[in-house]
Amino acid sequence: MKYYLKVGIEHLALGMIIPISIVWKLNSGLSIYQVAVTEALILIVTALSELPTGYFADKYGNKISLFVGSIFQIISLLLLANGNNMTIFIFAAIASGIGWAFISGADEAYIHDDYIEDKSQYKKTFSTALIVDEAATVLGMLLVSLLLFVNIIPKSIFIIAGILLVINSLYIAFVLPKSKLQILKAPQESSLENIKSMKNNIFILLPVIVAFAIMYESGRFLWQPQLKTLGIDIATFGLIFALLKLASILGSLLARQRKFHTTDLLIIFILLSVSLLLFGSKVVVVSIGALLIFLFIENYLRVYMSTVLNKLITKQRASLLSVASFTRNIVGGSLIVLMGLFAQKTILLALVFLVIIKIPAIVYILRKNDSWT
């Protein structure tokens, strides 16, 4: 229960920020390209920080890593709330990226290594944490719309979210059980062979990892600017994002019940591409409806990619999944910057670019699917 409360507080705060963070940057004077750069920077800093922050968690404990990550998130939010130029938003992005790096790996490791005694309960505990995560995020999104409807200014919302993150940090420090420090083993004689083996596995898996990394990118930084372009009141953004979150959850539930046939994947890819393009429509109902369909399909696809990747990786799972995460963040950051360039013309042009860049990845996945599944 203690861990679930930590998840709930943290994601309630994040749910309040997600629907308005991009439009806040735009309203603070950034161009859409500058927004893209800051969003890409978060991913790239996270990727570059994963190895040292992972070592930090192993040496000092997952709980301390979670605490340090939460402090960086608070710093990021304070900078974001007071941002009025590109420099401040860059520092906010760097702090956010470092914070996510401290939190991402330590979160799951804390559940497995420190929080539960019976390791057979990990799947149940982690699944429950995800449900709390999603529920708290949706609640935060609904709350931000309520606050905006009663004319609370966006800056005050960032402050409220910041207070929640401070409470979360204190909760981590003083309430969560301590970590059980692992003894860091000295390098073994076989470490050179392990490195060579991992290099060989990476070489084999690299096309899969890159293809999946391209498919993961969904152009999220374009969503709020598009809603703003359509003339939708910012006060309804939280409601819309909560609805999108529910569509995403339904997609995950559907994916658990189906097998991944090549024909199904082809239909999924067609719907994914069409919905992305229709999101760029100037008709409100069409644009939002397309995004709902996209989110429903996207999570189905994410479950498929995660299933395939874990099936293909049979050795050195932690190391290779870290490589996959690193690649996903670097590729995602690069694509966001490129989309930002196109978005300076029109958002639809950026979406067209995203669909086109996905085509080689789609073709590769369809050709390989039968051998994977």
Side-chain angles (χ1 to χ4, degrees):
M1 184 63 188
K2 289 181 178 179
Y3 182 78
Y4 301 144
L5 188 55
K6 171 261 178 192
V7 172
I9 297 170
E10 180 182 25
H11 287 272
L12 178 63
L14 294 177
M16 294 176 64
I17 300 164
I18 291 170
I20 61 170
S21 59
I22 302 299
V23 75
W24 170 256
K25 292 178 183 180
L26 290 171
N27 291 343
S28 297
L30 267 61
S31 68
I32 194 164
Y33 175 69
Q34 289 175 317
V35 169
V37 170
T38 61
E39 292 298 302
L41 192 57
I42 295 173
L43 295 179
I44 293 169
V45 170
T46 300
L48 296 176
S49 303
E50 277 187 347
L51 186 59
T53 56
Y55 179 80
F56 180 94
D58 288 338
K59 184 173 183 179
Y60 298 105
N62 297 311
K63 177 178 172 175
I64 294 179
S65 183
L66 291 174
F67 176 74
V68 173
S70 69
I71 296 300
F72 273 101
Q73 292 289 20
I74 292 168
I75 293 170
S76 172
L77 196 56
L78 288 173
L79 290 169
L80 194 62
N82 293 283
N84 55 14
N85 59 64
M86 184 64 172
T87 302
I88 294 177
F89 285 119
I90 284 175
F91 281 114
I94 292 171
S96 180
I98 295 172
W100 281 121
F102 270 106
I103 292 169
S104 57
D107 235 347
E108 293 182 30
Y110 180 81
I111 296 175
H112 187 275
D113 297 338
D114 308 318
Y115 185 67
I116 56 174
E117 295 293 336
D118 182 0
K119 304 308 179 188
S120 66
Q121 294 297 307
Y122 172 76
K123 184 176 180 181
K124 179 182 177 181
T125 305
F126 184 64
S127 298
T128 305
L130 285 179
I131 293 170
V132 174
D133 169 341
E134 300 284 8
T137 303
V138 170
L139 183 60
M141 290 172 172
L142 295 174
L143 181 59
V144 74
S145 272
L146 176 62
L147 292 172
L148 289 169
F149 272 124
V150 296
N151 296 320
I152 300 296
I153 62 173
K155 184 173 182 177
S156 297
I157 292 173
F158 285 106
I159 293 171
I160 295 169
I163 292 170
L164 286 172
L165 289 181
V166 169
I167 294 171
N168 179 60
S169 297
L170 295 173
Y171 187 85
I172 291 171
F174 298 109
V175 179
L176 283 189
K178 292 182 179 180
S179 292
K180 301 168 187 175
L181 291 177
Q182 307 293 317
I183 298 173
L184 295 179
K185 297 180 180 179
Q188 302 296 312
E189 292 181 3
S190 61
S191 59
L192 185 59
E193 286 73 14
N194 287 336
I195 292 172
K196 289 180 179 178
S197 174
M198 191 174 78
K199 284 183 177 179
N200 291 335
N201 287 330
I202 290 174
F203 182 76
I204 294 169
L205 290 170
L206 192 58
V208 185
I209 291 172
V210 172
F212 284 1
I214 292 171
M215 294 308 302
Y216 261 100
E217 180 49 46
S218 56
R220 274 178 165 74
F221 81 98
L222 297 171
W223 297 359
Q224 291 173 42
Q226 172 66 359
L227 295 179
K228 183 181 179 183
T229 300
L230 292 171
I232 298 173
D233 189 345
I234 189 176
T236 64
F237 279 21
L239 293 172
I240 293 171
F241 271 74
L243 192 60
L244 295 174
K245 193 71 172 175
L246 292 175
S248 181
I249 293 170
L250 288 173
S252 297
L253 293 174
L254 175 67
R256 292 169 62 182
Q257 309 299 324
R258 293 184 63 85
K259 294 183 178 180
F260 302 108
H261 299 296
T262 301
T263 303
D264 291 341
L265 284 175
L266 178 60
I267 295 170
I268 288 295
F269 287 141
I270 292 172
L271 289 173
L272 194 78
S273 301
V274 172
S275 60
L276 268 177
L277 295 175
L278 287 178
F279 172 60
S281 168
K282 294 181 179 180
V283 180
V284 174
V285 175
V286 173
S287 183
I288 295 177
L291 194 55
L292 283 169
I293 293 171
F294 173 81
L295 263 293
F296 179 82
I297 294 169
E298 185 198 36
N299 252 27
Y300 180 96
L301 188 60
R302 283 175 183 258
V303 172
Y304 162 77
M305 290 189 290
S306 177
T307 302
V308 168
L309 202 55
N310 278 283
K311 183 178 180 180
L312 293 177
I313 297 175
T314 57
K315 296 179 180 179
Q316 300 166 313
R317 186 179 302 276
S319 297
L320 289 171
L321 286 176
S322 294
V323 171
S325 176
F326 175 87
T327 305
R328 184 165 63 246
N329 284 329
I330 294 296
V331 170
S334 302
L335 289 177
I336 287 172
V337 171
L338 292 173
M339 281 188 286
L341 288 171
F342 286 105
Q344 291 182 112
K345 298 292 184 181
T346 65
I347 291 173
L348 180 58
L349 186 61
L351 293 169
V352 169
F353 165 76
L354 182 58
V355 170
I356 291 173
I357 208 71
K358 286 179 183 291
I359 291 174
I362 290 171
V363 172
Y364 176 79
I365 293 169
L366 290 174
R367 288 180 63 186
K368 292 288 185 178
N369 182 61
D370 287 340
S371 63
W372 293 340
T373 57

